[in-house]
Structures are given as C-alpha cells and as structure tokens.
Amino acid sequence: MESTDQQYMQRAFDLAQMGAFYVSPNPMVGAVIVHQGRIIGEGYHARYGGPHAEVNAVASVADPSLLSEATLYCTLEPCFHHGKTPPCVELVLQHQFRRVVVGAVDINPLVAGKSIEKMRAEGITVDMCPLDGQFARQNPAFTHWMETGGTRPYIILKWAQSADGYLARTGERTAISGPVVRRLVHRWRSTCDAILVGTQTALTDNPQLDSRHFPGKNPLRIALDTDGKMPLTHALLDDSVPTWILGKTRLGAFRQTTFIALRPENRLNDLAALLARDKKAILLVEGGAKLLQSCIDQGFYHEIRVIENQRELGDGVAAPRLPKGLHRRTTEVYGADVVQYFLGNLL
C-alpha cells in the first residue's frame, strides 16, 4: 500500500468525523475521489437517512467524465443493499471507477464483503487500507449495534470529580469542571442519541440535558423518577423536547414527555431494549453517583469518561469506584481538568 493511499484514506476518515452528530445508528463514513494525484471530490455521510459518503463525493465532482480514470477512497465498503438509500456499489459500477480503496469491510450481514466481490467481478481494482483498524475505533457504537443485531445501545458513563474524589457537595449543585470541558461534554451529548440521569441528580441539579454549548443535536432526555419526586417546575418536565421519565405518570398536558414504568429489578436492561426499539444506539449516563455505580456493578457500560479537576472539595458525594481491569485508552488535559477515557465491557 502506497503512502499516498494512506494520506488520502486519512483524509476520508477526517471527513467521516464530521458526521458524528446526526448519523447514528449508521456509521460515520467519509469518501475522497482522486484523479492523477489531485483530489477532485469529497463527501461524508452527514445524516441518518440521507445520501451516503460516496454519493456526496461523486456529486461534488465538477467533471464526472474523470471518474472512470479516478480512484475512490472510502472508509467503509460501499453498501450493497437497498435501505433508506440505493446501494452505493451500483453508483461505483455506474461510473466505472478505475480503482477503489476501502478502509474496512462492512460487518452488516447485508453487505459483508459482497460489494467488494461485485466490484472486482466487474473489473474494478479493489485494495484495502485499514489504517490500523481506524474505522472500528471511530465507530465503536456502530460495530456494537451490528454485533448485537440492533438490540443493545452503546453505553458511555461520564462523571466529573474533584481531586479528592467527590462529585459534588451534599445536596448542592456543584460545578466541578471548567468552561472548556463543559463545552466538550456538550459535544459528547450531541454525538449521543439519549442521555440519562438519576433521581437525585434530577432533583438537585435541575439539569436541562441539552447541547446548548455546542452546535449539534440534542439527545433524548431520560430521568429516573420512580416516586414522582421531581417538581413540575423542573426543566426536565417542561415538555419542550422529547423526554422520557422513568416513573409514575404525572398529571398535566404533556405532549413530548413520556412516562414509563420499568421493572425495578431489571430497569437498566428494559431501558436498553426500549432505546434499541427506537433506534437509539448511543446512551450517555451522566449521573448521579448511585446510578453510575449501579451501571458499573451490573456491567452496564462500554466506555467510562472521567473528568478530574485539581481542586478539592473536602467532603460530599463520593465518586463511583472504577472497576478493576479497565483499559485506559487516552488522557487529555484542559487547564485544571484531566479527562480520562476508559474502555469497558462489551454487553
């Protein structure tokens, strides 16, 4: 594999990342078209149900007559099946690309190498350029969604703690991290399909659970409120956006708020099933301590993201206990905040 192939494929992966906010449960995919050492087209999958990366890349080419002499770089094997859009492999064959370079074979059983076989059978040269498994690292939620047959969401646990291990002062809403990391967290929210908090967090923090500090989508808001303790004046009961309240039905003219009674002994698994039913493939659990610890104890997570600030609180609500054997993927520093990313279970 030539170094230029790697460079063009890396560009395709960089483009793919731009679709992080609206494509779930589909994967992020990017495409680059090169003719005689010059990029003549680029595209990425921007929205679930919308045109795929290859379609957008082809549409961006000013002179389509060049495509038969061009190389198409795509981070994922072109789709083989009719879904919300026609199969991209037919577009590739229509324009008779000279060569196609693929970052990963699609593990969707409806594709699973069939497009690669078909392109090769039609005389198109197909090469692989996986860049050390970058597709899987960029799309862990999609990989999990496919491996579970779309029956389980990918679950991320997140919390911010002080240097001495506390989430907040008891009974008080306590800002732990700085403004840069708060914006980062809102970016995380915008890449997820749903966000969950426990009863005490809903009561104490009165959170909005939106992505107002980052220009992306807002996730479905979910809160535990088994006994109906949350005041009707709280933000999560303002009925302004789709919201699930896991608890008893409340009186009121609610249109976008759904009250759901789940079995206490199997609440997390039942919630996962409901999210999968509605194609909510990525769940972010933000707190509080009791809910997060319950998720850890039950193995209800795939990633854990911990923000630690340098200041100490001295006392308060203790942070969850990290499980043993976690693999720390990476660490980032933003001023007084250190963000650690851990890989966890595969449910």
Side-chain angles (χ1 to χ4, degrees), residues 7-221:
Q7 292 169 0
Y8 291 132
M9 184 60 73
Q10 185 58 60
R11 172 60 182 166
F13 274 111
D14 292 344
L15 288 167
Q17 193 63 40
M18 296 173 68
F21 311 110
Y22 294 101
V23 300
S24 179
N26 281 354
M28 292 174 274
V29 180
V32 171
I33 300 173
V34 177
H35 179 263
Q36 295 183 356
R38 182 173 65 92
I39 294 177
I40 62 171
E42 294 184 334
Y44 64 94
H45 183 35
R47 186 177 294 270
Y48 176 67
H52 288 183
E54 301 93 327
V55 175
N56 288 328
V58 168
S60 74
V61 175
D63 184 359
S65 68
L66 300 178
L67 294 176
S68 62
E69 302 173 359
T71 297
L72 169 66
Y73 294 84
C74 44
T75 60
L76 181 66
E77 173 186 7
C79 63
F80 188 82
H81 59 298
H82 281 271
K84 290 186 175 293
T85 61
C88 290
V89 68
E90 298 298 338
L91 180 70
V92 175
L93 296 177
Q94 173 190 335
H95 291 288
Q96 279 297 298
F97 279 88
R98 180 181 65 84
R99 180 170 174 249
V100 176
V101 181
V102 175
V105 176
D106 193 342
I107 64 172
N108 185 333
L110 297 175
V111 188
K114 296 175 185 175
S115 290
I116 293 175
E117 292 178 5
K118 187 167 186 176
M119 289 186 291
R120 285 174 173 163
E122 293 293 327
I124 297 176
T125 299
V126 180
D127 294 315
M128 301 300 297
C129 183
L131 294 186
D132 296 323
Q134 190 162 332
F135 178 84
R137 294 197 305 275
Q138 188 177 60
N139 292 280
F142 169 75
T143 301
H144 174 71
W145 188 253
M146 284 293 104
E147 289 177 344
T148 60
T151 62
R152 303 285 296 190
Y154 187 83
I155 300 158
I156 303 167
L157 309 185
K158 165 265 169 185
W159 68 83
Q161 65 183 48
S162 62
D164 51 352
Y166 294 102
L167 298 183
R169 295 187 176 90
T170 304
E172 296 181 20
R173 179 170 185 166
T174 309
I176 298 292
S177 55
V180 174
V181 169
R182 283 198 290 273
R183 182 175 171 83
L184 174 65
V185 169
H186 281 235
R187 185 188 189 282
W188 293 346
R189 289 180 178 180
S190 68
T191 64
C192 295
D193 299 316
I195 179 170
L196 170 67
V197 295
T199 303
Q200 195 57 50
T201 297
L203 289 173
T204 304
D205 291 357
N206 187 17
Q208 298 179 57
L209 300 187
D210 59 16
S211 304
R212 61 192 179 277
H213 296 310
F214 189 87
K217 75 173 188 300
N218 290 319
L220 170 70
R221 307 186 304 184

